[in-house]
Structure formats: C-alpha cells, structure tokens
Amino acid sequence: MTAHPILPIATALFGLSGLAALIYQTCWQRMLVLFAGGDVQAVTLIVAAFMLGMGCGHAAGGWLADRRSQAGCLALFALLELGIAAWAMLSPWLYHDLLCQRLAGLAEAPVTGSIVVILLLLPPTWLMGMSLPLLARAISGSLQMAPTAISQLYGMNTLGAALGAILCTWCLMPRFGIEGAVRHAAALNALCALGVLPLLPLARGMPEPKATQSAEMAHDAWNRLWAMRRFRLCLGLHAASGFLAIGLELLWFRVLGVMLKSTAFTFGTLLGIYLGGLALGSLVGARLVKKGWQPLKVFLWLQAAVGLYAGLGLGLLLALVHLPALQSFTAYLDLYEPLDVNTSLALLLDPSLPRSSVPDPWLLPLLHGLLPAVLIVPATFLIGMAFPFLQKAAQTDLGQLGLRTGSLQVANIVGNVAGALLVGFLLLDLAGSALTLKLMVLLSTGLGLIALLGTARLRFNASFWLSASLAVLLLIPDADTFWARIHGSQPDQFLHVEDRTGVAGMKQVRPSPDLPGESVVFVNGIGQSWLPYGGIHSILGALPALLHPKPERIAIIGLGSGDTAYCAAPRHMTEEVACIEIIGGQLTALRRHQAQHPNPSSGALLADKRINHHQGDGRRFLATTRQQFDIIEADALRPNSAGSGILYSEEFFQLVKKRLRPGGYAVTWVPSARVRHTFLKVFPHVLDFGVLAIGSQEPIEVSEQDLRRRLTHMEVRHHFRLAGVDVQRLLTPFTQVNFKSRLIGPDHDRTTLGEVNTDLFPRDEFHLPALWGTESAPQAKTSEEATVAGN
C-alpha cells in the first residue's frame, strides 16, 4: 500500500489552512464579543455558531466530494481557500465597523442578536468545513490507505491550528493587532490556493480509484447491514468523544485560567497546547492504525484512558501542591497580582536586568508551558490517537468516503456543542468543576467498559477499570478543598462561589503594607480588591461623585468588593448606581462572606437600596441600554488582563460619551500612557489627576474648594462612616491640587499624542516589547501602588 503522491503537499497546505482558521476564530470572536457581549452566554453562542458552520460545511463537503473527481476536489479546495480569504479581508469592516459600531442595537433583543451572529459566521465557517471531506477524497487512492490519509490531513490541520493559536497570541496580535492578524491569515489562505495549482496536473494524470468496498461489505447483504449499523455506532461514539473532549477542555481552561491568573496571553497558549496534543496523537495514530488491531476497541480504550488521566493529573497536582518542592508555585497561587508576562520575558532574555520584587521569571515557562503540557497533552494525545482508529472502523466504502468523513465530523461537532451547553451552562452551575470532573471520569470509564463486552475474563477486566476509576475519583477533592488549594489557601480560610460565568472567592488574610485588607476578593484567581474599603477603588468612586454638581444616575462596570460602587453614592441626590458585573457569583460571594464574617464595608454596600446589581457584560450593557448617566466608569482593571482592551479602547470611550447626560462625567483609571492618550483623544474636556482622569463633552467647572466643601456635608460623612472609610484622609491630597492646572481643554494640541488603544489594536493588553522591541509604555501600577500614588 503506497501513499498517494500528492499527500505530503496536500497535508502541508491543509496545515496552513488550519493555521489561518485558528487566527480567524481568535480574531472574529474578539470582534463579535463587542456586539454580543463577553459573558459566557455570548461566547458560547459565538463558538456554537462557528461549529454550526463547520458542521454544515462538513456535511455539504462530504456530499460533494463523492460526486467529483480527485482533480475536481482539489480545484474546489483551492476555490474554498480563496473564498475564505476574500471573506476575511472583508471581516474587520463587516464585524467591527458595521455590526459593532453601527448596528449594535440589534443585540438588544437576544434572539435577533443570536441570529445575526450565526448568519455572519455561517459563510466562512461553511467553506472551512467543506475542506476536509474534499481533500480526503482527493488523496485517498484506496480504501486501505483512507484512514491513514484522512488522519494525516486532520493531524496536520490541527497542528496548524495549534501553531495559529500560539502565533496569533504571541506575535500577530502584539505586532499587528486584530486587523493585521486577519490579513496575515488571508494571505495564508491565498498561498494554499496557489499551492494547489501544481497538484492539479498530477491529480488529472492519475487513474480514478474504483468505488470498492471492504471484504465484509462485499460478502453478503447481512454484512452490509452490519457495516451500516457499525457506521452509525461510529457516529455515536464520535459524538461521545466530542462531548468528552469539550467537557474536559472547559474544565482544564477554567482550572488553569485560575491557577495562571489569566492574562491576554493565557487562553491562546492553553488552546495551542490543547490542539497540539490532538495533532500529535492523530499523526502517531495514523501510523499505528495500519496494525491489525480491532479499531473500535482501541478507540474505546483510548477514550477510557483520557478521562482517567485527566482526573489523575488534576487530583495528584492538588494533592501535592503544598509540598516544599512546589513552594514557589503555591506562593504564586496565593498572590494577589498575576505574573507580568512582559517583565518575566525581559528577565529571562536578559538576567542582568534588576529584578526588584517581581516573582521568579521562570514561573512564566512553568505556568504557561510545563504545567498545562503535563495536565493536558497526554489526554489530548490519546483523543487524537483515537481518531484514525474510528476512521478505520467507519470507512468501508470508497464510494462514500467523502460522505462518511463529513458525517463523522458532524457527529463530533454535535458532541462538542452538547458538551459546551451541558457542561458550560448546566453542570458548572449545578455541580461545579470538581464534581463535573468526576462525571467526566465516569463517562470515560463507561466507554472503556463498552470495549470489554464480549471479551474473555469480562468480570476481571471490568473490575480493574472500575477500581482504577474509583481510585481517581477518591483523589479528586471536594469543591471547597479543590478551589482553596487552587488559590494557595485552606478551606477554612477561603470561600468560593462557582457558576458558569467563573469563580469568585473571598480569602481571609493578614493585613500588610502591600495588602491592607482583612479579606481579599479574588475573581478567577486574580485579586481584585479587599475589605474593608479605603484604597484606589474608594477614590475612583468617591472623587467624581463629589465633584459632579448633581450625580443622580451613575453606572459602574465591575463589582469586586463593591468599593467603587458604594463610594460613588455618598450624596443624597443620587437615585441609582447601576453596577454591572460579568461574574455572576461575585455578589453571592460577598453576601455569604458578610454572613460568615460581618464587615461594615460590605454590610453598607448590601444595605444600600440605591445600588442595583446587573449581571452581564458592561460594554454590552452600555451599547444596548437607552438610559443616560451622570457618571460612567469602569472599575480599575489591569491593562494586560484578558479582554481589558475593550474597556480602554477609543471606541469604548466614544460609547461612554454617547451614554452621558449633558455635563456628565466619564471616569477612568489611568494605568498607562496609552490609556491617557486614548481618553484625551475622545473627550474635549479632561480633568487629569494622574492616577485617574475625568472627561466630559462640556467644560468641567469645579474646583478644589467645591471638593473641600462637599466633604464636610453631613450625608457624605455619614455615608462613608457606615462603611468604615476615612474619606477625608483619602481625598485630602486632591483637595490640595490646583484644579485649573489639571484641566485640559479642546484647545490642547492632541496631534502630539502617542499611539492609542483601539478595539482592533488593543496595544496595552498585548503589550510585549520584551519580545518584539515595540515602543515601550509605562508599566501598569498595581492597585496598591495606585493607592499610594493617589495618597
């Protein structure tokens, strides 16, 4: 059995196509969350729409492939690549400029918004999905070589996708932004189309393979009927495999996202590692499938091993996390601040640089390389290795090769979508990650038990699998211990609330100069604020509220400990503070913590009926609401946090400006020079305090005397006294500032401003000068450093 002569080139081209596809998925999702929102429902909708298009493409491509010659399939593949490239070149205008900027109101009705997202993702993803069945038909010269050829195609395409995730995250986004990344991907699709041209004469010159059947199919009608039933079984098993794969992916990404204290570079890195394991497994399996093993049993045994390893890996890590050998890792889990990727890279590349107080830079490759590789790659390698064996079991008729290839992929996508919905929406809400992981282990074990049916020594083998499964289940701790250890704490010192939107936690700590609170708020592993109130978050809330002449309606994006939202409401004329928080469990965590550890700050927040809490994406709230506000601000957010760019971009500040009442204030923390430049570009009138800035469309007519006077008002003093906040101490430095010297008007020369943050180029979020030598921007202050600066 010899390989098809065009197989090596075709697989390489398909690898480039996969690389481009992952870049598109990353960039298109980033643009579409601006329209649909960044909460879990919107992200799941976008991913499901992407998968729906791919599934439709697989089905259509499979039907078409069996009706075309090998050369015809290659030519169609080239046309598909050109069509994807053309759509990609149009996509920044279509998804961002038109949809997000001009048609944002369509997202106000969830059904309408969902339909729009699906319709706009369907054309390019449909074209992507058609590729695999067409290429499989083009390079499969015989039924015997089909499983190997298809698996090599799948493996190279997935390997390209893995490289695309890494390349987009660490190179294209930092250097060229979203639009630039999309254009580079479009060039790769065009290159794929050109690469097909030399293959067409070779394909035309080769005899078309005959539509042969396997020996068992050709024997008699009974065997043909059994083969069809086996194919349906393969469809069901591939759907179950897809369910297991996406369920474990959600769990791994949640747990590792919390452990790593996710930055802009975390998700793409984890995705690349996940896909890399799948790719390597498929390529290795493509060689092993030639052996005479029973394909369905091998597939099921591999699926059983996947869940057992996933549970064993996480269970062992959490059991050993407090060992002295892992002290630096445990210390990082306990930290308030995430690792600064750029600083760590700079120290790794040049150890002579002063280290100051930053964590060990070797934590970067440990956390973003070794740890996820150990937890994820062996399991995804097994998933990928199972793919060729399922192909061998399913491909029994060369005349239906394209159809069966496409149908198997559709089944896998159905399982993916079912897993995303059931695990992401239901199980994480009702059961949490620890119990859901145990359910994934049981599902995997069940697949292994199916493989044992009809074998000798059934009882003994089943006992072995069940015993192994039970041992893994016992190793996985209960939910309280699970999340406490992941946060470097103990169950009696850590309270958590987990739902589909994320993990909110409250940790009891000893106050220190670096962290003055008694209880620290953690959201997805990252410290956000603390109790009692009295730092930068208090200043962000109180200062603009005391400067505005009549702050009746206020919008605050981000809850944290509630510090900013509460401190924004000290005046009696304030009727409502709308606080929008994307993590649904954060408010519940505050309430539970208040019940167990009463604190005047959180007690005052929860008792203030003017503060209305909204769960969802803050930017989408502003884009779809018809309300206008006197003050709008996003609570302090690190500029290199994942997704932070959408709250520091020029377009976001323009949206805020549209939602302000006449004379209204937009408020932002100023963690970098780019944020300041972006803010100044949008607002003609700015009061710049350095640590924060207040912008307006009208002149800001307020003085330090107004601030001093309002600080003496009885209702103001009473409001802050209830929460235990010494507002006089916090704001005294601002009362001594000459406001006139801090006012920037429309006559200020804005042509000298440096580069700014935009939706399509979030420079601060992907700031990586240590790697690419781009223009340096001031490093973001931590919340504690900002407090010192403000005081």
Side-chain angles (χ1 to χ4, degrees):
M1 181 175 62
T2 58
H4 200 290
I6 67 173
L7 178 60
I9 299 177
T11 53
L13 293 176
F14 204 37
L16 289 180
S17 179
L19 195 157
L22 211 289
I23 294 173
Y24 294 141
Q25 182 175 351
T26 302
C27 295
W28 290 346
Q29 179 170 317
R30 179 70 185 231
M31 287 188 275
L32 289 172
V33 297
L34 298 173
F35 171 76
D39 51 16
V40 68
Q41 294 93 332
V43 172
T44 303
L45 165 67
I46 295 167
V47 173
F50 206 94
M51 290 181 176
L52 173 64
M54 293 284 287
C56 292
H58 288 317
W63 179 87
L64 195 60
D66 293 330
R67 288 160 175 78
R68 293 291 183 273
S69 65
Q70 290 182 305
C73 288
L74 278 176
L76 282 174
F77 171 72
L79 291 176
L80 293 177
E81 294 298 303
L82 290 176
I84 295 167
W87 186 277
M89 295 297 290
L90 182 68
S91 63
W93 172 83
L94 181 63
Y95 294 153
H96 180 266
D97 299 349
L98 179 63
L99 183 63
C100 299
Q101 298 302 307
R102 301 180 188 177
L103 303 177
L106 293 174
E108 188 173 352
V111 174
T112 304
S114 301
I115 292 172
V116 169
V117 169
I118 292 171
L119 290 178
L120 289 180
L121 278 177
L122 198 59
T125 54
W126 190 306
L127 298 181
M128 292 176 190
M130 292 179 69
S131 301
L132 178 60
L134 288 169
L135 275 184
R137 174 70 179 84
I139 65 172
S140 295
S142 67
L143 188 62
Q144 290 73 26
M145 71 173 292
T148 297
I150 295 170
S151 301
Q152 288 178 343
L153 279 175
Y154 176 80
M156 286 300 294
N157 184 259
T158 308
L159 183 60
L163 294 175
I166 301 295
L167 186 67
C168 187
T169 300
W170 292 90
C171 176
L172 296 179
M173 296 278 269
R175 296 192 69 184
F176 308 108
I178 295 172
E179 188 170 8
V182 168
R183 296 190 186 283
H184 278 78
L188 291 176
N189 287 123
L191 182 62
C192 286
L194 291 175
V196 169
L197 296 180
L199 303 181
L200 292 176
L202 290 174
R204 292 193 184 102
M206 294 187 61
E208 287 293 323
K210 296 180 180 180
T212 58
Q213 297 176 337
S214 64
E216 67 174 25
M217 282 279 287
H219 189 263
D220 55 32
W222 172 256
N223 281 332
R224 286 196 294 273
L225 178 62
W226 163 242
M228 180 56 65
R229 289 181 176 177
R230 186 171 69 174
F231 177 64
R232 292 172 182 168
L233 175 62
C234 290
L235 292 177
L237 292 177
H238 212 201
S241 176
F243 182 95
L244 179 65
I246 203 71
L248 289 175
E249 180 184 349
L250 290 171
L251 289 169
W252 281 322
F253 281 34
R254 167 159 292 192
V255 170
L256 286 168
V258 174
M259 284 184 171
L260 273 58
K261 304 184 187 296
S262 216
T263 69
F265 303 96
T266 302
F267 178 80
T269 303
L270 296 181
L271 185 58
I273 291 171
Y274 177 93
L275 294 172
L278 284 177
L280 294 176
S282 181
L283 294 173
V284 171
R287 292 182 175 274
L288 297 178
V289 76
K290 300 173 186 178
K291 299 182 179 294
W293 300 336
Q294 297 183 44
L296 277 180
K297 287 191 175 182
V298 173
F299 175 85
L300 289 167
W301 287 333
L302 289 172
Q303 298 300 317
V306 167
L308 290 177
Y309 182 85
L312 180 66
L314 273 174
L316 276 178
L317 177 64
L318 295 179
L320 303 176
V321 73
H322 290 297
L323 289 179
L326 297 177
Q327 183 177 358
S328 60
F329 174 59
T330 308
Y332 178 74
L333 298 180
D334 186 48
L335 284 181
Y336 183 88
E337 292 291 337
L339 193 69
D340 187 274
V341 172
N342 184 64
T343 302
S344 297
L345 269 176
L347 290 170
L348 288 173
L349 296 172
D350 186 0
S352 64
L353 292 174
R355 180 173 159 182
S356 66
S357 60
V358 299
D360 186 349
W362 285 103
L363 281 172
L364 179 63
L366 170 66
L367 294 170
H368 284 77
L370 181 60
L371 176 64
V374 169
L375 291 180
I376 295 176
V377 168
T380 56
F381 182 88
L382 295 172
I383 296 173
M385 188 187 292
F387 179 82
F389 290 95
L390 194 70
Q391 289 290 336
K392 184 177 181 180
Q395 300 293 355
T396 56
D397 187 348
L398 193 60
Q400 295 184 343
L401 185 141
L403 178 62
R404 293 195 170 196
T405 302
S407 298
L408 283 171
Q409 292 305 100
V410 170
N412 191 252
I413 286 175
V414 169
N416 288 157
V417 173
L421 295 175
L422 184 59
V423 175
F425 276 94
L426 186 63
L427 290 180
L428 289 179
D429 255 347
L430 300 179
S433 294
L435 184 54
T436 301
L437 178 58
K438 294 179 181 180
L439 293 175
M440 293 295 106
V441 172
L442 289 174
L443 171 62
S444 187
T445 304
L447 292 174
L449 291 176
I450 294 175
L452 297 177
L453 296 177
T455 61
R457 304 179 67 187
L458 172 62
R459 183 175 299 177
F460 174 81
N461 292 329
S463 299
F464 171 80
W465 280 109
L466 290 172
S467 299
S469 176
L470 179 61
V472 171
L473 292 175
L474 293 175
L475 192 60
I476 301 171
D478 63 88
D480 291 336
T481 305
F482 187 91
W483 286 115
R485 289 179 180 175
I486 288 175
H487 286 80
S489 185
Q490 299 294 334
D492 59 344
Q493 298 172 347
F494 186 78
L495 178 153
H496 85 280
V497 176
E498 181 185 11
D499 63 9
R500 62 178 179 267
T501 63
V503 183
M506 303 287 298
K507 185 188 293 187
Q508 297 296 108
V509 298
R510 294 180 180 179
S512 67
D514 293 332
L515 201 59
E518 299 171 356
S519 300
V520 179
V521 176
F522 282 85
V523 176
N524 289 333
I526 303 175
Q528 298 293 345
S529 50
W530 56 83
L531 297 171
Y533 302 157
I536 182 60
H537 301 279
S538 299
I539 295 171
L540 282 169
L543 185 59
L546 292 172
L547 294 180
H548 194 283
K550 194 176 181 182
E552 293 178 336
R553 301 182 66 83
I554 299 171
I556 306 292
I557 298 176
L559 174 60
S561 64
D563 195 341
T564 303
Y566 180 80
C567 292
R571 299 173 68 183
H572 65 85
M573 72 269 293
T574 299
E575 300 170 1
E576 179 194 12
V577 176
C579 182
I580 309 100
E581 171 57 50
I582 198 168
I583 303 298
Q586 184 54 46
L587 182 61
T588 304
L590 285 173
R591 287 172 174 159
R592 290 184 184 176
H593 183 268
Q594 178 64 18
Q596 296 178 18
H597 306 280
N599 186 285
S601 294
S602 53
L605 168 82
L606 297 172
D608 197 324
K609 302 303 181 184
R610 299 171 301 165
I611 302 175
N612 296 323
H613 298 278
H614 305 263
Q615 193 275 312
D617 180 82
R619 177 158 171 169
R620 185 175 183 272
F621 174 87
L622 291 180
T624 57
T625 187
R626 298 180 182 179
Q627 301 180 60
Q628 288 191 308
F629 300 91
D630 299 297
I631 298 174
I632 301 175
E633 66 175 292
D635 202 359
L637 180 66
R638 299 168 182 85
N640 60 351
S641 295
S644 62
I646 66 173
L647 297 180
Y648 286 124
S649 69
E650 179 182 351
E651 294 87 346
F652 172 70
F653 291 138
Q654 291 285 3
L655 173 62
V656 170
K657 186 164 70 171
K658 292 178 182 178
R659 293 292 176 263
L660 288 175
R661 286 177 170 180
Y665 288 174
V667 185
T668 185
W669 184 42
V670 185
S672 77
R674 285 196 192 94
V675 172
R676 181 178 182 273
H677 296 162
T678 309
F679 198 72
L680 285 174
K681 184 176 181 180
V682 172
F683 291 98
H685 302 275
V686 174
L687 181 56
D688 186 1
F689 288 109
V691 68
L692 66 90
I694 299 173
S696 181
Q697 299 184 71
E698 289 80 29
I700 301 175
E701 297 177 347
V702 69
S703 67
E704 57 272 23
Q705 290 82 8
D706 295 318
L707 177 59
R708 285 196 291 266
R709 177 171 51 82
R710 288 168 185 159
L711 279 171
T712 64
H713 289 180
M714 184 175 295
E715 83 269 12
V716 171
R717 289 185 293 170
H718 176 70
H719 181 80
F720 287 106
R721 190 183 302 118
L722 284 176
V725 177
D726 186 353
V727 70
Q728 196 74 37
R729 177 187 63 82
L730 282 177
L731 298 187
T732 291
F734 296 94
T735 65
Q736 298 170 357
V737 170
N738 183 350
F739 279 24
K740 289 184 179 180
S741 67
R742 299 299 183 102
L743 287 170
I744 300 173
D747 55 344
H748 178 78
D749 183 9
R750 285 168 167 78
T751 61
T752 61
L753 294 175
E755 55 189 19
V756 300
N757 294 305
T758 65
D759 286 343
L760 296 182
F761 204 156
R763 289 179 168 88
D764 276 340
E765 185 180 346
F766 289 92
H767 186 60
L768 207 58
L771 196 58
W772 301 113
T774 53
E775 181 185 348
S776 182
Q779 293 297 310
K781 304 180 183 73
T782 66
S783 298
E784 293 75 28
E785 291 169 340
T787 304
V788 174
N791 286 307

